[in-house]
Amino acid sequence: MQNKLIERLRGSLSTLLYFINTLFWFIPVLLLALLKLMVPLAPWRRGCTALLDGCAGYWIRFNNLVQKSLTRTRFEVTGLDKASLQQWYMVIANHQSWVDILVLQRVFNGQIPFLKFFLKKELIWVPLLGLAWWALDFPFMRRYSRKLLERKPHLKGKDIETTRQACARFAHIPVSVMNFVEGTRFTPRKHDKQGAPYRHLLHPRAGGIAFTLAAMGGKLHQLVDVTIGYPGGIPSFWDFMCGRVETIRVRVRFLPIEPRLVGDYFNDPEFQQGFQQWLNGIWREKDQTLTRLLAGGSRPGQPG
């Protein structure tokens, strides 16, 4: 009974500190966003972007400090030795819990450029958050359905071009673009419904990552393949806040993104088949890696 009370107090304090930290940094981010929007000069906007990424980095640092001080979860990480802040990365990972995002931020903050997600173009109109995402250079993409392209063939290729223009700001600024390839969190029910050939994973969705690589026009040079394992079972966000997660194991691989992986996924059947085979191969290896991580077969990495 006493332990449960301590856990709840720890979870409540952690959540409160996260909220205060988010509120504290949200204000300067919005102010910098407005300043960036008002002055359409490239040097000015690059300076604002650097300050904004710095704010985001310090936001993550404080969250990490809260984790280390209150939750004491042990992180075992391998494969970070090739990380660089001067590279352009595509980051992919298996997805099991909202805790995954906190894990990725803790592992990669200060190791690779700030993680950024591709967002649907409509999300730019979300009050306040849309402006913050725009200010932090989260790319907004526009996708046209196959049916719409059949009715309006002149739009063919416009989605890639529009997204590529949104990514043009990354030409001189290293970036890490994040993608949860499964498209949803793993659950046994989803796994059984899909009939996935993997023990711990859902089917990878190749379209999103292929679209991103094409939109970036070959600018992304390396793939960061991340496998996250929870030996004690997949935790909820509250479990993590309460310090109920003893160990998290993470394996990181840096793989080259070859020119053959950049193409028209949605209109080139041959390229589509080859890309799917490549991604399925990575997913088979990830499933084997995850089996080892959950069984304790990985070598301990750096404790967090």
Side-chain angles (χ1 to χ4, degrees), residues 59-204:
W59 172 72
I60 294 172
R61 283 188 185 185
F62 186 83
N63 288 343
N64 290 345
L65 180 61
V66 171
Q67 294 172 23
K68 294 177 181 179
S69 301
L70 297 179
T71 63
R72 301 191 181 280
T73 298
R74 178 178 174 81
F75 277 67
E76 297 178 1
V77 185
T78 57
L80 264 183
D81 51 301
K82 296 181 180 179
S84 171
L85 289 169
Q86 306 303 320
Q87 276 286 349
W88 282 255
Y89 294 116
M90 162 65 75
V91 183
I92 63 172
N94 58 312
H95 193 18
Q96 305 162 89
S97 165
W98 289 114
V99 179
D100 298 340
I101 296 175
L102 299 179
V103 170
L104 290 167
Q105 289 177 338
R106 177 155 169 180
V107 169
F108 289 117
N109 190 49
Q111 301 290 331
I112 64 176
F114 178 64
L115 293 171
K116 301 187 180 184
F117 298 79
F118 268 74
L119 302 173
K120 294 180 180 179
K121 195 170 183 65
E122 293 76 13
L123 291 178
I124 198 171
W125 302 112
V126 174
L128 300 181
L129 284 177
L131 181 60
W133 288 327
W134 172 85
L136 286 166
D137 284 337
F138 279 52
F140 291 89
M141 66 179 183
R142 173 176 290 170
R143 289 281 301 278
Y144 298 116
S145 67
R146 188 182 298 274
K147 291 183 178 179
L148 179 61
L149 292 175
E150 289 174 355
R151 294 199 313 268
K152 299 181 178 181
H154 66 281
L155 292 177
K156 186 176 180 180
K158 290 289 185 180
D159 50 359
I160 291 288
E161 184 56 34
T162 300
T163 308
R164 184 174 290 128
Q165 291 173 4
C167 297
R169 70 196 70 179
F170 299 142
H172 305 290
I173 302 175
V175 66
S176 301
V177 180
M178 178 64 214
N179 193 317
F180 285 117
V181 182
E182 292 159 301
T184 184
R185 286 171 289 162
F186 176 95
T187 66
R189 183 178 178 181
K190 292 175 185 176
H191 180 268
D192 293 342
K193 185 177 180 180
Q194 283 191 0
Y198 313 104
R199 184 178 178 184
H200 308 289
L201 303 169
L202 302 177
H203 283 293

